[in-house]
Each structure stands twice: as structure tokens, then as C-alpha cells.
PDB file of all heavy atoms in Angstrom:
ATOM      1  N   ARG A  14     129.551 117.655 129.612  1.00 97.00           N
ATOM      2  CA  ARG A  14     129.098 118.807 130.462  1.00 97.00           C
ATOM      3  C   ARG A  14     127.703 119.154 130.282  1.00 97.00           C
ATOM      4  O   ARG A  14     127.088 119.929 131.012  1.00 97.00           O
ATOM      5  CB  ARG A  14     130.011 120.015 130.158  1.00 97.00           C
ATOM      6  CG  ARG A  14     131.449 119.827 130.299  1.00 97.00           C
ATOM      7  CD  ARG A  14     132.278 120.994 130.164  1.00 97.00           C
ATOM      8  NE  ARG A  14     132.133 121.938 131.219  1.00 97.00           N
ATOM      9  CZ  ARG A  14     132.793 123.150 131.380  1.00 97.00           C
ATOM     10  NH1 ARG A  14     133.781 123.564 130.417  1.00 97.00           N
ATOM     11  NH2 ARG A  14     132.602 123.918 132.335  1.00 97.00           N
ATOM     12  N   GLY A  15     127.063 118.607 129.182  1.00 98.00           N
ATOM     13  CA  GLY A  15     125.661 119.047 128.894  1.00 98.00           C
ATOM     14  C   GLY A  15     124.651 117.969 128.716  1.00 98.00           C
ATOM     15  O   GLY A  15     123.776 117.944 127.763  1.00 98.00           O
ATOM     16  N   PRO A  16     124.665 116.875 129.537  1.00 98.00           N
ATOM     17  CA  PRO A  16     123.661 115.832 129.373  1.00 98.00           C
ATOM     18  C   PRO A  16     122.185 116.261 129.500  1.00 98.00           C
ATOM     19  O   PRO A  16     121.343 115.654 128.863  1.00 98.00           O
ATOM     20  CB  PRO A  16     124.033 114.751 130.537  1.00 98.00           C
ATOM     21  CG  PRO A  16     124.748 115.610 131.432  1.00 98.00           C
ATOM     22  CD  PRO A  16     125.448 116.681 130.784  1.00 98.00           C
ATOM     23  N   ASN A  17     121.969 117.371 130.187  1.00 98.00           N
ATOM     24  CA  ASN A  17     120.620 117.928 130.327  1.00 98.00           C
ATOM     25  C   ASN A  17     120.191 118.910 129.290  1.00 98.00           C
ATOM     26  O   ASN A  17     119.021 119.375 129.324  1.00 98.00           O
ATOM     27  CB  ASN A  17     120.491 118.545 131.695  1.00 98.00           C
ATOM     28  CG  ASN A  17     120.708 117.688 132.773  1.00 98.00           C
ATOM     29  OD1 ASN A  17     120.363 116.354 132.790  1.00 98.00           O
ATOM     30  ND2 ASN A  17     121.450 118.144 133.863  1.00 98.00           N
ATOM     31  N   LYS A  18     121.013 118.999 128.256  1.00 98.00           N
ATOM     32  CA  LYS A  18     120.843 120.014 127.273  1.00 98.00           C
ATOM     33  C   LYS A  18     120.309 119.556 125.863  1.00 98.00           C
ATOM     34  O   LYS A  18     119.738 120.288 125.023  1.00 98.00           O
ATOM     35  CB  LYS A  18     122.108 120.896 127.104  1.00 98.00           C
ATOM     36  CG  LYS A  18     122.479 121.596 128.238  1.00 98.00           C
ATOM     37  CD  LYS A  18     121.604 122.850 128.552  1.00 98.00           C
ATOM     38  CE  LYS A  18     122.279 123.762 129.519  1.00 98.00           C
ATOM     39  NZ  LYS A  18     121.618 125.182 129.528  1.00 98.00           N
ATOM     40  N   PHE A  19     120.479 118.233 125.614  1.00 98.00           N
ATOM     41  CA  PHE A  19     120.448 117.572 124.358  1.00 98.00           C
ATOM     42  C   PHE A  19     119.072 116.669 124.290  1.00 98.00           C
ATOM     43  O   PHE A  19     118.899 115.990 125.174  1.00 98.00           O
ATOM     44  CB  PHE A  19     121.565 116.745 124.061  1.00 98.00           C
ATOM     45  CG  PHE A  19     121.679 116.180 122.654  1.00 98.00           C
ATOM     46  CD1 PHE A  19     121.403 116.960 121.613  1.00 98.00           C
ATOM     47  CD2 PHE A  19     122.289 114.897 122.507  1.00 98.00           C
ATOM     48  CE1 PHE A  19     121.650 116.505 120.234  1.00 98.00           C
ATOM     49  CE2 PHE A  19     122.457 114.343 121.200  1.00 98.00           C
ATOM     50  CZ  PHE A  19     122.062 115.159 120.116  1.00 98.00           C
ATOM     51  N   MET A  20     118.119 117.101 123.263  1.00 98.00           N
ATOM     52  CA  MET A  20     116.841 116.317 123.316  1.00 98.00           C
ATOM     53  C   MET A  20     116.512 115.929 122.008  1.00 98.00           C
ATOM     54  O   MET A  20     116.661 116.726 120.982  1.00 98.00           O
ATOM     55  CB  MET A  20     115.864 117.155 124.078  1.00 98.00           C
ATOM     56  CG  MET A  20     115.586 118.507 123.625  1.00 98.00           C
ATOM     57  SD  MET A  20     114.489 119.442 124.683  1.00 98.00           S
ATOM     58  CE  MET A  20     115.645 119.850 126.112  1.00 98.00           C
ATOM     59  N   TYR A  21     115.838 114.807 121.731  1.00 98.00           N
ATOM     60  CA  TYR A  21     115.512 114.224 120.503  1.00 98.00           C
ATOM     61  C   TYR A  21     114.336 114.907 119.795  1.00 98.00           C
ATOM     62  O   TYR A  21     113.398 115.339 120.430  1.00 98.00           O
ATOM     63  CB  TYR A  21     115.117 112.723 120.594  1.00 98.00           C
ATOM     64  CG  TYR A  21     114.406 112.260 119.381  1.00 98.00           C
ATOM     65  CD1 TYR A  21     115.124 112.061 118.290  1.00 98.00           C
ATOM     66  CD2 TYR A  21     113.140 111.897 119.438  1.00 98.00           C
ATOM     67  CE1 TYR A  21     114.419 111.540 117.081  1.00 98.00           C
ATOM     68  CE2 TYR A  21     112.456 111.341 118.423  1.00 98.00           C
ATOM     69  CZ  TYR A  21     113.034 111.159 117.251  1.00 98.00           C
ATOM     70  OH  TYR A  21     112.477 110.699 116.095  1.00 98.00           O
ATOM     71  N   ALA A  22     114.410 115.208 118.448  1.00 98.00           N
ATOM     72  CA  ALA A  22     113.442 115.720 117.710  1.00 98.00           C
ATOM     73  C   ALA A  22     113.485 115.057 116.334  1.00 98.00           C
ATOM     74  O   ALA A  22     114.565 114.925 115.703  1.00 98.00           O
ATOM     75  CB  ALA A  22     113.553 117.253 117.540  1.00 98.00           C
ATOM     76  N   GLY A  23     112.373 114.514 115.801  1.00 95.00           N
ATOM     77  CA  GLY A  23     112.538 113.612 114.654  1.00 95.00           C
ATOM     78  C   GLY A  23     112.292 114.166 113.298  1.00 95.00           C
ATOM     79  O   GLY A  23     113.013 113.663 112.360  1.00 95.00           O
ATOM     80  N   TYR A  24     111.420 115.086 113.123  1.00 95.00           N
ATOM     81  CA  TYR A  24     111.242 115.709 111.764  1.00 95.00           C
ATOM     82  C   TYR A  24     110.464 114.891 110.832  1.00 95.00           C
ATOM     83  O   TYR A  24     110.704 115.086 109.591  1.00 95.00           O
ATOM     84  CB  TYR A  24     112.645 116.229 111.187  1.00 95.00           C
ATOM     85  CG  TYR A  24     112.460 117.385 110.239  1.00 95.00           C
ATOM     86  CD1 TYR A  24     111.872 118.585 110.522  1.00 95.00           C
ATOM     87  CD2 TYR A  24     112.864 117.225 108.880  1.00 95.00           C
ATOM     88  CE1 TYR A  24     111.713 119.546 109.553  1.00 95.00           C
ATOM     89  CE2 TYR A  24     112.715 118.155 107.921  1.00 95.00           C
ATOM     90  CZ  TYR A  24     112.167 119.443 108.314  1.00 95.00           C
ATOM     91  OH  TYR A  24     112.030 120.329 107.437  1.00 95.00           O
ATOM     92  N   PHE A  25     109.651 113.944 111.188  1.00 97.00           N
ATOM     93  CA  PHE A  25     108.737 113.292 110.350  1.00 97.00           C
ATOM     94  C   PHE A  25     107.645 114.275 109.804  1.00 97.00           C
ATOM     95  O   PHE A  25     107.221 115.143 110.595  1.00 97.00           O
ATOM     96  CB  PHE A  25     108.031 112.114 111.028  1.00 97.00           C
ATOM     97  CG  PHE A  25     107.068 111.414 110.229  1.00 97.00           C
ATOM     98  CD1 PHE A  25     107.474 110.364 109.427  1.00 97.00           C
ATOM     99  CD2 PHE A  25     105.706 111.744 110.228  1.00 97.00           C
ATOM    100  CE1 PHE A  25     106.536 109.744 108.470  1.00 97.00           C
ATOM    101  CE2 PHE A  25     104.792 111.099 109.470  1.00 97.00           C
ATOM    102  CZ  PHE A  25     105.189 110.083 108.559  1.00 97.00           C
ATOM    103  N   PRO A  26     107.266 114.234 108.501  1.00 95.00           N
ATOM    104  CA  PRO A  26     107.737 113.449 107.426  1.00 95.00           C
ATOM    105  C   PRO A  26     108.886 113.775 106.668  1.00 95.00           C
ATOM    106  O   PRO A  26     109.151 113.125 105.615  1.00 95.00           O
ATOM    107  CB  PRO A  26     106.433 113.404 106.560  1.00 95.00           C
ATOM    108  CG  PRO A  26     105.968 114.766 106.641  1.00 95.00           C
ATOM    109  CD  PRO A  26     106.244 115.184 108.037  1.00 95.00           C
ATOM    110  N   GLY A  27     109.545 114.880 106.988  1.00 95.00           N
ATOM    111  CA  GLY A  27     110.798 115.269 106.368  1.00 95.00           C
ATOM    112  C   GLY A  27     111.814 114.067 106.338  1.00 95.00           C
ATOM    113  O   GLY A  27     112.513 113.723 105.258  1.00 95.00           O
ATOM    114  N   LEU A  28     111.935 113.318 107.348  1.00 97.00           N
ATOM    115  CA  LEU A  28     112.665 112.206 107.590  1.00 97.00           C
ATOM    116  C   LEU A  28     111.821 110.987 108.107  1.00 97.00           C
ATOM    117  O   LEU A  28     110.842 111.175 108.852  1.00 97.00           O
ATOM    118  CB  LEU A  28     113.820 112.229 108.630  1.00 97.00           C
ATOM    119  CG  LEU A  28     114.893 113.421 108.328  1.00 97.00           C
ATOM    120  CD1 LEU A  28     115.732 113.688 109.425  1.00 97.00           C
ATOM    121  CD2 LEU A  28     115.807 112.944 107.121  1.00 97.00           C
ATOM    122  N   SER A  29     112.067 109.846 107.633  1.00 97.00           N
ATOM    123  CA  SER A  29     111.385 108.686 108.094  1.00 97.00           C
ATOM    124  C   SER A  29     111.806 108.149 109.470  1.00 97.00           C
ATOM    125  O   SER A  29     112.943 108.276 109.757  1.00 97.00           O
ATOM    126  CB  SER A  29     111.401 107.563 107.073  1.00 97.00           C
ATOM    127  OG  SER A  29     112.667 106.887 107.105  1.00 97.00           O
ATOM    128  N   TYR A  30     110.788 107.626 110.221  1.00 98.00           N
ATOM    129  CA  TYR A  30     111.178 106.966 111.413  1.00 98.00           C
ATOM    130  C   TYR A  30     112.134 105.745 111.200  1.00 98.00           C
ATOM    131  O   TYR A  30     112.985 105.476 112.009  1.00 98.00           O
ATOM    132  CB  TYR A  30     109.908 106.464 112.204  1.00 98.00           C
ATOM    133  CG  TYR A  30     109.319 107.475 113.238  1.00 98.00           C
ATOM    134  CD1 TYR A  30     109.718 108.819 113.160  1.00 98.00           C
ATOM    135  CD2 TYR A  30     108.518 107.040 114.201  1.00 98.00           C
ATOM    136  CE1 TYR A  30     109.245 109.765 114.156  1.00 98.00           C
ATOM    137  CE2 TYR A  30     108.043 107.917 115.147  1.00 98.00           C
ATOM    138  CZ  TYR A  30     108.375 109.261 115.110  1.00 98.00           C
ATOM    139  OH  TYR A  30     107.904 110.147 116.093  1.00 98.00           O
ATOM    140  N   GLU A  31     111.922 105.144 110.048  1.00 97.00           N
ATOM    141  CA  GLU A  31     112.797 103.912 109.866  1.00 97.00           C
ATOM    142  C   GLU A  31     114.340 104.441 109.823  1.00 97.00           C
ATOM    143  O   GLU A  31     115.171 103.787 110.439  1.00 97.00           O
ATOM    144  CB  GLU A  31     112.442 103.258 108.512  1.00 97.00           C
ATOM    145  CG  GLU A  31     111.067 102.563 108.670  1.00 97.00           C
ATOM    146  CD  GLU A  31     109.933 103.427 108.399  1.00 97.00           C
ATOM    147  OE1 GLU A  31     110.035 104.509 108.188  1.00 97.00           O
ATOM    148  OE2 GLU A  31     108.817 102.936 108.352  1.00 97.00           O
ATOM    149  N   ARG A  32     114.544 105.420 109.129  1.00 97.00           N
ATOM    150  CA  ARG A  32     115.801 105.976 108.955  1.00 97.00           C
ATOM    151  C   ARG A  32     116.400 106.503 110.332  1.00 97.00           C
ATOM    152  O   ARG A  32     117.498 106.156 110.776  1.00 97.00           O
ATOM    153  CB  ARG A  32     115.953 107.094 107.846  1.00 97.00           C
ATOM    154  CG  ARG A  32     117.471 107.537 107.898  1.00 97.00           C
ATOM    155  CD  ARG A  32     117.520 108.676 106.731  1.00 97.00           C
ATOM    156  NE  ARG A  32     118.855 109.065 106.677  1.00 97.00           N
ATOM    157  CZ  ARG A  32     119.319 110.120 105.835  1.00 97.00           C
ATOM    158  NH1 ARG A  32     118.438 110.675 104.998  1.00 97.00           N
ATOM    159  NH2 ARG A  32     120.634 110.447 105.938  1.00 97.00           N
ATOM    160  N   ILE A  33     115.537 107.362 110.922  1.00 97.00           N
ATOM    161  CA  ILE A  33     115.917 107.950 112.190  1.00 97.00           C
ATOM    162  C   ILE A  33     116.381 106.891 113.147  1.00 97.00           C
ATOM    163  O   ILE A  33     117.534 107.013 113.800  1.00 97.00           O
ATOM    164  CB  ILE A  33     114.739 108.830 112.723  1.00 97.00           C
ATOM    165  CG1 ILE A  33     114.585 110.047 111.892  1.00 97.00           C
ATOM    166  CG2 ILE A  33     115.135 109.304 114.174  1.00 97.00           C
ATOM    167  CD1 ILE A  33     113.293 110.783 112.144  1.00 97.00           C
ATOM    168  N   PHE A  34     115.445 105.870 113.473  1.00 97.00           N
ATOM    169  CA  PHE A  34     115.687 105.093 114.654  1.00 97.00           C
ATOM    170  C   PHE A  34     116.799 103.972 114.294  1.00 97.00           C
ATOM    171  O   PHE A  34     117.616 103.436 115.140  1.00 97.00           O
ATOM    172  CB  PHE A  34     114.625 104.444 115.034  1.00 97.00           C
ATOM    173  CG  PHE A  34     113.711 105.346 115.896  1.00 97.00           C
ATOM    174  CD1 PHE A  34     112.680 105.973 115.408  1.00 97.00           C
ATOM    175  CD2 PHE A  34     114.010 105.542 117.199  1.00 97.00           C
ATOM    176  CE1 PHE A  34     111.891 106.906 116.171  1.00 97.00           C
ATOM    177  CE2 PHE A  34     113.257 106.563 117.965  1.00 97.00           C
ATOM    178  CZ  PHE A  34     112.188 107.165 117.439  1.00 97.00           C
ATOM    179  N   THR A  35     117.041 103.668 112.973  1.00 96.00           N
ATOM    180  CA  THR A  35     118.084 102.827 112.524  1.00 96.00           C
ATOM    181  C   THR A  35     119.465 103.479 112.654  1.00 96.00           C
ATOM    182  O   THR A  35     120.336 102.951 113.345  1.00 96.00           O
ATOM    183  CB  THR A  35     117.910 102.329 111.052  1.00 96.00           C
ATOM    184  OG1 THR A  35     116.822 101.613 110.910  1.00 96.00           O
ATOM    185  CG2 THR A  35     119.211 101.563 110.669  1.00 96.00           C
ATOM    186  N   GLU A  36     119.599 104.757 112.330  1.00 97.00           N
ATOM    187  CA  GLU A  36     120.852 105.447 112.388  1.00 97.00           C
ATOM    188  C   GLU A  36     121.087 105.807 113.919  1.00 97.00           C
ATOM    189  O   GLU A  36     122.222 105.903 114.338  1.00 97.00           O
ATOM    190  CB  GLU A  36     120.825 106.647 111.636  1.00 97.00           C
ATOM    191  CG  GLU A  36     120.790 106.465 110.116  1.00 97.00           C
ATOM    192  CD  GLU A  36     120.917 107.712 109.190  1.00 97.00           C
ATOM    193  OE1 GLU A  36     121.094 108.761 109.781  1.00 97.00           O
ATOM    194  OE2 GLU A  36     120.782 107.604 107.978  1.00 97.00           O
ATOM    195  N   MET A  37     119.992 106.073 114.711  1.00 96.00           N
ATOM    196  CA  MET A  37     120.202 106.376 115.991  1.00 96.00           C
ATOM    197  C   MET A  37     121.007 105.304 116.864  1.00 96.00           C
ATOM    198  O   MET A  37     121.683 105.638 117.781  1.00 96.00           O
ATOM    199  CB  MET A  37     118.978 106.716 116.677  1.00 96.00           C
ATOM    200  CG  MET A  37     118.938 107.405 118.039  1.00 96.00           C
ATOM    201  SD  MET A  37     117.427 107.692 118.821  1.00 96.00           S
ATOM    202  CE  MET A  37     116.545 108.799 117.697  1.00 96.00           C
ATOM    203  N   ASP A  38     120.779 104.034 116.416  1.00 95.00           N
ATOM    204  CA  ASP A  38     121.508 103.029 117.152  1.00 95.00           C
ATOM    205  C   ASP A  38     122.972 103.153 117.032  1.00 95.00           C
ATOM    206  O   ASP A  38     123.669 102.564 118.023  1.00 95.00           O
ATOM    207  CB  ASP A  38     121.151 101.693 116.483  1.00 95.00           C
ATOM    208  CG  ASP A  38     119.734 101.238 116.828  1.00 95.00           C
ATOM    209  OD1 ASP A  38     119.175 101.775 117.913  1.00 95.00           O
ATOM    210  OD2 ASP A  38     119.104 100.475 116.078  1.00 95.00           O
ATOM    211  N   ASP A  39     123.448 103.912 116.235  1.00 95.00           N
ATOM    212  CA  ASP A  39     125.015 104.104 116.147  1.00 95.00           C
ATOM    213  C   ASP A  39     125.579 105.275 116.841  1.00 95.00           C
ATOM    214  O   ASP A  39     126.724 105.652 116.837  1.00 95.00           O
ATOM    215  CB  ASP A  39     125.420 104.118 114.577  1.00 95.00           C
ATOM    216  CG  ASP A  39     125.190 102.831 113.880  1.00 95.00           C
ATOM    217  OD1 ASP A  39     125.300 101.835 114.566  1.00 95.00           O
ATOM    218  OD2 ASP A  39     124.764 102.934 112.784  1.00 95.00           O
ATOM    219  N   LEU A  40     124.634 106.111 117.486  1.00 97.00           N
ATOM    220  CA  LEU A  40     125.086 107.365 118.219  1.00 97.00           C
ATOM    221  C   LEU A  40     125.911 106.992 119.353  1.00 97.00           C
ATOM    222  O   LEU A  40     125.580 106.125 120.165  1.00 97.00           O
ATOM    223  CB  LEU A  40     123.929 108.135 118.706  1.00 97.00           C
ATOM    224  CG  LEU A  40     123.060 108.938 117.758  1.00 97.00           C
ATOM    225  CD1 LEU A  40     121.958 109.689 118.356  1.00 97.00           C
ATOM    226  CD2 LEU A  40     123.893 109.765 116.862  1.00 97.00           C
ATOM    227  N   PRO A  41     127.093 107.545 119.518  1.00 96.00           N
ATOM    228  CA  PRO A  41     127.920 107.246 120.658  1.00 96.00           C
ATOM    229  C   PRO A  41     127.612 107.936 121.941  1.00 96.00           C
ATOM    230  O   PRO A  41     128.431 108.746 122.596  1.00 96.00           O
ATOM    231  CB  PRO A  41     129.337 107.769 120.052  1.00 96.00           C
ATOM    232  CG  PRO A  41     129.032 108.863 119.234  1.00 96.00           C
ATOM    233  CD  PRO A  41     127.720 108.593 118.617  1.00 96.00           C
ATOM    234  N   LEU A  42     126.327 107.891 122.416  1.00 97.00           N
ATOM    235  CA  LEU A  42     125.929 108.472 123.570  1.00 97.00           C
ATOM    236  C   LEU A  42     126.196 107.483 124.779  1.00 97.00           C
ATOM    237  O   LEU A  42     126.154 106.322 124.730  1.00 97.00           O
ATOM    238  CB  LEU A  42     124.475 108.762 123.576  1.00 97.00           C
ATOM    239  CG  LEU A  42     123.868 109.778 122.691  1.00 97.00           C
ATOM    240  CD1 LEU A  42     122.459 109.876 122.731  1.00 97.00           C
ATOM    241  CD2 LEU A  42     124.561 111.206 123.050  1.00 97.00           C
ATOM    242  N   ARG A  43     126.621 108.197 125.912  1.00 97.00           N
ATOM    243  CA  ARG A  43     126.920 107.376 127.164  1.00 97.00           C
ATOM    244  C   ARG A  43     125.591 106.910 127.854  1.00 97.00           C
ATOM    245  O   ARG A  43     124.469 107.388 127.453  1.00 97.00           O
ATOM    246  CB  ARG A  43     127.686 108.128 128.160  1.00 97.00           C
ATOM    247  CG  ARG A  43     128.995 108.470 127.687  1.00 97.00           C
ATOM    248  CD  ARG A  43     129.914 109.372 128.682  1.00 97.00           C
ATOM    249  NE  ARG A  43     131.212 109.578 128.162  1.00 97.00           N
ATOM    250  CZ  ARG A  43     132.114 110.286 128.840  1.00 97.00           C
ATOM    251  NH1 ARG A  43     131.697 111.083 130.008  1.00 97.00           N
ATOM    252  NH2 ARG A  43     133.387 110.603 128.352  1.00 97.00           N
TER     253      ARG A  43
END
């Protein structure tokens, strides 16, 4: 019901881009 409500935010340098984008590959998004 909310595809227009969810948007990416990374939080570097609190989190590394390497971790973020590696884990993002497993998100079950349509």
C-alpha cells in the first residue's frame, strides 16, 4: 500500500557503503 512512502538513506560513515549495498541485495522488495 505504500510504495511511494519508503526511501533510501545510508548513514555513512556510521555504516559503510560496502555493508549497506551488500545487505540491500537481499531486501524482498518488489
Side-chain angles (χ1 to χ4, degrees):
R14 304 184 73 176
N17 298 325
K18 297 285 194 163
F19 190 39
M20 54 189 78
Y21 165 67
Y24 202 62
F25 177 85
L28 295 168
S29 71
Y30 265 20
E31 289 84 359
R32 178 179 182 182
I33 290 167
F34 285 98
T35 297
E36 292 184 7
M37 194 185 292
D38 288 337
D39 294 324
L40 286 181
L42 290 177
R43 294 181 176 176

